[in-house]
Amino acid sequence: MRTPMIILNMKSYREAEGKLSLVLARTCEKVALETGASIAVCPPMVELSRVALEVSIPVLAQNVDMWDATVRTGSTSLGAVKNAGAIGTLVNHSECRRLLSDIGHIVDSARGMGLTTIVCTNNVAASRAAAALAPDMIAMEPPELIGGDISVTTADPRIVEDTVRAVREAAPGVMVLTGAGVKDGNDVRKALELGTVGVLLASGVVKAKDPGKVLLSLAEGLVGRR
Ligand code: G3P
């Protein structure tokens, strides 16, 4: 994936159910093509394959339930995610936490399969610990700001800077994203100024009246700095 970047996590919002996830992904694709911004999407798991087949931008899973080729009803394996056309997966999102040992196992297995891992964390210490597992990226999101109106970059810029520093010390090759409350291009610009390679966001786009307009603003915040 090209950095700096914007990753849209559609979560399980009603606004992204069924074909709506494809509509959102196509809007992201259009803005990416028009502006040159690097934009990736994480559609709802049941829509992963449909979206990955239909758009040219990178598609990632929101989660992976298991990582070995054993049979478990209702689970999603790394192999299934790869076969659906995703290039990687979020791991340990705040709304879907994992044990550190399991995160390590997922990251290692995904690397072996050529899948990108973005490990979500909630603070500086967790980011340092997760970075030591050598995922491709860390996405630090303070849980109390998720889904809110104030961007982490405004509410707590210090935690973003400290995370970037801690990850750089622990594992210089691991890139850092931030998220929670991100709504517009200014938030993206600030995230880059604080040392990240971009943002992971959800409600600001998914629940917007005009997602395309918000995406344009986000993309301008991203490419304006190149
Ligand atoms: O995965 C992104 C997310 O947790 C941030 O959500 O709604 O604050 O952009 P939101």
Side-chain angles (χ1 to χ4, degrees), residues 29-84:
E29 180 183 45
K30 185 166 179 278
V31 172
L33 290 172
E34 278 173 10
T35 63
S38 174
I39 305 177
V41 291
C42 306
M45 295 302 281
V46 291
E47 300 297 334
L48 193 58
S49 177
R50 166 162 42 187
V51 173
L53 282 170
E54 294 286 333
V55 297
S56 57
I57 56 176
V59 176
L60 296 106
Q62 294 182 10
N63 176 46
V64 61
D65 292 309
M66 62 182 223
W67 40 94
D68 295 323
T70 52
V71 177
R72 289 181 203 172
T73 300
S75 292
T76 307
S77 67
L78 276 170
V81 160
K82 185 168 182 172
N83 278 298

Side-chain angles (χ1 to χ4, degrees), residues 9 11 13 93 95 141 145-148 179-182 200-204:
N9 178 7
K11 301 194 176 181
Y13 281 117
H93 190 277
E95 292 142 13
E141 307 185 311
L145 297 174
I146 290 178
V182 172
L200 172 63
L201 86 161
S203 56

Side-chain angles (χ1 to χ4, degrees), residues 81-195:
V81 160
K82 185 168 182 172
N83 278 298
I87 59 129
T89 184
L90 302 183
V91 184
N92 192 48
H93 190 277
S94 198
E95 292 142 13
C96 196
R97 285 283 182 234
R98 298 279 175 213
L99 295 173
L100 192 63
S101 55
D102 289 348
I103 298 171
H105 196 147
I106 293 169
V107 167
D108 286 348
S109 304
R111 192 182 307 113
M113 296 170 69
L115 289 168
T116 296
T117 47
I118 301 175
V119 175
C120 301
T121 56
N122 58 342
N123 58 35
V124 178
S127 303
R128 186 183 292 111
L133 302 172
D136 296 280
M137 295 185 195
I138 296 288
M140 194 285 299
E141 307 185 311
E144 66 279 11
L145 297 174
I146 290 178
D149 288 328
I150 303 175
S151 168
V152 59
T153 54
T154 302
D156 196 353
R158 180 82 184 272
I159 197 175
V160 181
E161 281 181 314
D162 289 351
T163 298
V164 170
R165 194 172 311 115
V167 168
R168 213 170 269 157
E169 282 166 14
V174 176
M175 294 180 275
V176 177
L177 299 162
T178 194
V182 172
K183 294 284 183 289
D184 59 27
N186 284 332
D187 299 336
V188 175
R189 211 169 290 119
K190 192 73 194 294
L192 299 179
E193 281 167 15
L194 293 170

